[in-house]
Amino acid sequence: MLLAHPVVLKNLIEQYETLRALHAEAGTEEARRRMEDVAYTLCVSTGTRDVDTALVAARHQLPGARAEDDSLLAT
């Protein structure tokens, strides 16, 4: 499987988290659509099928992530 570049993953994670906050606050249709697009891209980039798993996988692929660190799974 091809792996996305860590910079791309970091950017996608940041976009998703920002859009999730915007959608929670404003609830606009544009924010929801963009969030779905970023979630899809995260899933494709990590080879996963849902955004929560994609976020965990993406974070584990970033520099400095420890393989034994499962703290992200608890959120």
Side-chain angles (χ1 to χ4, degrees), residues 9-69:
L9 291 175
K10 185 174 187 265
N11 183 288
L12 287 169
I13 293 168
E14 290 172 357
Q15 282 185 58
Y16 184 80
E17 290 172 346
T18 300
L19 288 163
R20 183 171 48 191
L22 286 174
H23 182 64
E25 289 180 14
T28 66
E29 184 67 20
E30 181 181 347
R32 184 191 60 75
R33 273 196 314 266
R34 182 67 183 132
M35 189 172 71
E36 288 174 356
D37 289 345
V38 173
Y40 174 80
T41 304
L42 268 166
C43 288
V44 170
S45 298
T46 58
T48 59
R49 292 180 183 228
D50 67 84
V51 71
D52 293 326
T53 305
L55 288 166
V56 170
R59 287 183 177 118
H60 278 281
Q61 292 178 34
L62 295 178
R66 296 187 324 244
E68 68 277 358
D69 183 7

